Amino acid sequence: YPHMVFDNFLPPDIASAIASEYPSLETMNSNWKFHDNQNVRRHFVEDTSEFSPRFKQFAAAITSRSFLLFLETLTGIPALLSDPYFMGGGAMVTGNGGFLNVHADFNWHQKLQSWRRCNALFYLTPDWDEKWGGNLELWTTDGKEKVKEVPPLFNRMVVFTTTSSSYHGQPVPISGPPDTYRRVFSAFYYASAKQDGIDDHPHFTKYNANNNDVVAEKETSPYAELITNNYIKKGSY
C-alpha cells in the first residue's frame, strides 16, 4: 500500500527542541494510558493539555491547514480532516520489551463521523541505535508477509494510507539499555468519503495472527461500542 519515508523531516533545531520536551514517563499521570496485553505493550498520552508549550505548537502544526494541504498533495486524498483528539494516537512511549503486533487500524472516528484515510508517524528519539530494534514493519495487504522494515530513527516521518488491510506494526520487542524508550508521535487523518479497501462497517483494530503464532486475529465489531467518555476502552486497539 502507498507509503513514504522522510528523513530529516523537520529543521534540526526544531526537531531537537521538540524532542527535549517530549512527554516522559517521569511526568506520567492519570491522563496517560498503558496498554499491556497479548497484542501491545506501551504508554501513550492523547490529551494535548498535558503537553509543554513547544510540544503543543508541534501538535497544532500537524493538525493545521498547511499540513493538511501537504498531506492531500502527497497522498492524493481530497478534503482531509485532522483529529484534534488524537484518538488512539498522540505521544507514544515504548520501553524495553514493548511491542505492537501487526494490525490494520480501526477505520471509523465516532466523534468526527469520518473514515480513517492516512497516518503520519514522527520519530523523536535522539541517537536511536538500530540494534535496539523497534522497527516499523509494513506487510502485504493479505497480512501474510512482511515487505519492509523502517527503523525509528530520529527526525524521521512515515506517512501511509490506511485501509482495512494496510497491515503494519512493531512486533519485535525493543531490546536496549535500561531506560531505553522508543518515542513516536502518531497522528491520524480522516475524510467523510470512504475509499475502496475500507470495510463498509466500523471495526476495531484488526490484529493479524500471521505475525505471532500465539495471537488469534481480533474479530471486527462496531467501533461506536468502544467509545466511553470520548476514549477507546483499554485494550481495544
Side-chain angles (χ1 to χ4, degrees), residues 32-44:
W32 282 74
K33 297 177 175 61
F34 179 42
H35 284 176
D36 185 13
N37 56 54
Q38 74 267 32
N39 284 316
V40 58
R41 181 179 177 83
R42 65 180 177 186
H43 296 82
F44 67 105

Side-chain angles (χ1 to χ4, degrees), residues 221-233:
S221 297
Y223 177 72
E225 293 180 4
L226 299 177
I227 303 300
T228 299
N229 296 328
N230 302 335
Y231 291 100
I232 304 175
K233 292 181 180 178

Side-chain angles (χ1 to χ4, degrees), residues 65-131:
R65 175 184 185 274
S66 58
F67 195 73
L68 288 175
L69 291 174
F70 163 71
L71 288 178
E72 289 179 1
T73 302
L74 177 68
T75 64
I77 303 171
L80 280 175
L81 300 170
S82 58
D83 176 17
Y85 306 99
F86 291 107
M87 185 78 76
M92 298 184 169
V93 179
T94 307
N96 269 326
F99 64 97
L100 174 63
N101 278 330
V102 173
H103 62 283
D105 292 314
F106 65 84
N107 64 345
W108 174 255
H109 195 302
Q110 187 267 345
K111 289 187 72 66
L112 298 181
Q113 292 290 290
S114 297
W115 300 99
R116 188 157 167 176
R117 299 296 299 271
C118 73
N119 293 353
L121 310 179
F122 303 85
Y123 294 100
L124 293 168
T125 307
D127 303 317
W128 183 264
D129 191 326
E130 293 186 43
K131 293 185 296 186

Side-chain angles (χ1 to χ4, degrees), residues 62-230:
I62 62 175
T63 56
S64 68
R65 175 184 185 274
S66 58
F67 195 73
L68 288 175
L69 291 174
F70 163 71
L71 288 178
E72 289 179 1
T73 302
L74 177 68
T75 64
I77 303 171
L80 280 175
L81 300 170
S82 58
D83 176 17
Y85 306 99
F86 291 107
M87 185 78 76
M92 298 184 169
V93 179
T94 307
N96 269 326
F99 64 97
L100 174 63
N101 278 330
V102 173
H103 62 283
D105 292 314
F106 65 84
N107 64 345
W108 174 255
H109 195 302
Q110 187 267 345
K111 289 187 72 66
L112 298 181
Q113 292 290 290
S114 297
W115 300 99
R116 188 157 167 176
R117 299 296 299 271
C118 73
N119 293 353
L121 310 179
F122 303 85
Y123 294 100
L124 293 168
T125 307
D127 303 317
W128 183 264
D129 191 326
E130 293 186 43
K131 293 185 296 186
W132 301 340
N135 291 353
L136 170 69
E137 296 186 4
L138 306 179
W139 284 50
T140 53
T141 54
D142 61 6
K144 294 183 177 180
E145 183 179 0
K146 179 175 66 178
V147 175
K148 187 173 185 175
E149 291 191 34
V150 182
L153 301 182
F154 179 62
N155 201 13
R156 170 172 281 178
M157 182 184 74
V158 180
V159 176
F160 57 93
T161 57
T162 55
T163 67
S164 295
S165 58
S166 53
Y167 286 100
H168 62 283
Q170 181 238 313
V172 178
I174 291 172
S175 177
D179 300 324
T180 297
Y181 297 108
R182 177 186 188 266
R183 305 191 309 194
V184 57
F185 196 94
S186 298
F188 311 140
Y189 300 87
Y190 299 81
S192 58
K194 184 180 75 66
Q195 72 182 53
D196 292 342
I198 299 176
D199 291 353
D200 290 334
H201 301 289
H203 63 66
F204 287 123
T205 296
K206 300 194 297 184
Y207 286 96
N208 176 17
N210 291 308
N211 75 99
N212 186 332
D213 58 10
V214 301
V215 178
E217 183 171 355
K218 193 174 184 67
E219 297 297 329
T220 61
S221 297
Y223 177 72
E225 293 180 4
L226 299 177
I227 303 300
T228 299
N229 296 328
N230 302 335

Side-chain angles (χ1 to χ4, degrees), residues 3-75:
H3 63 276
M4 184 168 285
V5 179
F6 294 85
D7 285 333
N8 303 310
F9 181 72
L10 296 169
D13 57 333
I14 293 178
S16 296
I18 293 170
S20 71
E21 295 188 0
Y22 198 94
S24 68
L25 297 185
E26 288 74 19
T27 61
M28 184 172 58
N29 59 29
S30 60
N31 285 318
W32 282 74
K33 297 177 175 61
F34 179 42
H35 284 176
D36 185 13
N37 56 54
Q38 74 267 32
N39 284 316
V40 58
R41 181 179 177 83
R42 65 180 177 186
H43 296 82
F44 67 105
V45 59
E46 306 157 311
D47 186 354
T48 57
S49 69
E50 296 294 318
F51 298 163
S52 65
R54 281 188 291 195
F55 214 81
K56 287 180 180 177
Q57 291 178 334
F58 169 69
I62 62 175
T63 56
S64 68
R65 175 184 185 274
S66 58
F67 195 73
L68 288 175
L69 291 174
F70 163 71
L71 288 178
E72 289 179 1
T73 302
L74 177 68
T75 64

